[in-house]
Amino acid sequence: MEPPPRSWVLGPISMGSSRCAAAPEPMETWQGDQAVGEALQSGPKAAGKRLVLLHGWGADADDLLELGRLLCGERRQLLALRAPQAHPGGFGRQWYDLQNPNWPDLPQARLALRARLEALGRSLPLEDTVLLGFSQGAAMALDVGSDLALEGIVGCSGYPHPGWQAKPAMAKVLLTHGKNDPVVPYAASEELLRRLQAQQASVELLSSQGQHGIDPELLPAMGRFIDPGQS
């Protein structure tokens, strides 16, 4: 079985030429607080802002790093966390077992991710950190991030965990989703939007005609959400 393509590359829209034309930037294993766990870092270490990336089900820590570089350039440190569990398909990782009915691993997954993010806050305040997740990573970002003093949360092709409710004072949120997503229905982000608006959270939903991925046409708006001062 072949590993899946990069999650953020959407179907027939070609990003290949721009991705191949530029040499990859240095990527290092995280060498900070060991409580952060397995992670990859990229970008300027001296930057006073950070973007933390949570990959989707069956992907791995490197899956969203190129997306992060496109969104942030040299303005932020990039840190991609690796999910703790091996994926049952034989490649990639998972935050919890989606195939196990009722997701019994989810409570521990929440606690573990919160501890990792709080450990990151010891090297750079969470108020200067945007958390971006895709699919299962988006569900984790919104669930755990809603209780943390983050700068912002980006949830791409995500869904609400059972019983999850937005918090009145949570960070600003940007949702993205393809209307033709056959994996996580677009209605899942509409439900996230409804729950966030019910708590008067600062939230916006960006849609595309794409499938299960992050449409390149949404990247400029995502970049402005993460760093409002960029052109």
Side-chain angles (χ1 to χ4, degrees):
M1 184 180 295
E2 293 296 321
R6 299 277 180 188
S7 298
W8 62 272
V9 177
L10 176 61
I13 297 178
S14 175
M15 292 288 288
S17 59
S18 62
R19 293 173 62 202
C20 295
E25 296 182 25
M27 187 187 311
E28 302 176 3
T29 302
W30 172 251
Q31 297 295 326
D33 191 328
Q34 294 304 302
V36 173
E38 291 186 286
L40 296 175
Q41 64 182 12
S42 181
K45 296 180 182 178
K49 298 278 189 176
R50 180 181 283 156
L51 177 64
V52 176
L53 305 166
L54 306 182
H55 63 78
W57 193 63
D60 211 326
D62 65 338
D63 187 58
L64 299 175
L65 270 173
E66 189 172 348
L67 170 66
R69 289 193 287 265
L70 286 173
L71 292 172
C72 296
E74 293 295 308
R75 293 179 296 277
R76 286 179 181 262
Q77 301 175 29
L78 296 178
L79 193 70
L81 302 186
R82 190 184 202 206
Q85 297 183 9
H87 187 272
F91 56 82
R93 310 292 292 183
Q94 62 183 8
W95 299 96
Y96 54 88
D97 188 353
L98 278 171
Q99 297 178 328
N100 196 341
N102 301 317
W103 302 342
D105 299 342
L106 179 55
Q108 179 56 38
R110 287 189 183 109
L111 292 174
L113 178 57
R114 183 185 181 96
R116 295 172 77 179
L117 293 172
E118 289 176 338
L120 277 175
R122 294 196 281 268
S123 60
L124 189 70
L126 291 179
E127 291 87 347
D128 295 317
T129 297
V130 172
L131 185 61
L132 184 154
F134 174 76
S135 194
Q136 189 184 47
M140 292 295 295
L142 288 159
D143 189 332
V144 177
S146 61
D147 281 324
L148 297 173
L150 294 161
E151 183 182 359
I153 303 170
V154 183
C156 304
S157 304
Y159 53 92
H161 283 148
W164 175 79
Q165 294 295 332
K167 305 299 189 296
M170 67 183 293
K172 63 180 182 177
V173 176
L174 178 67
L175 305 172
T176 76
H177 213 124
K179 290 188 174 180
N180 297 305
D181 190 336
V183 178
V184 179
Y186 181 74
S189 277
E190 291 183 311
E191 177 61 17
L192 287 169
L193 179 68
R194 185 193 68 77
R195 296 188 192 186
L196 286 157
Q197 289 177 332
Q199 295 295 333
Q200 288 77 52
S202 173
V203 58
E204 180 180 6
L205 171 59
L206 301 178
S207 63
S208 73
Q209 295 305 312
Q211 300 182 23
H212 194 58
I214 302 172
D215 196 320
E217 72 181 36
L218 303 181
L219 298 190
M222 293 171 65
R224 289 191 295 270
F225 173 86
I226 294 168
D227 290 304
Q230 71 170 295
S231 59

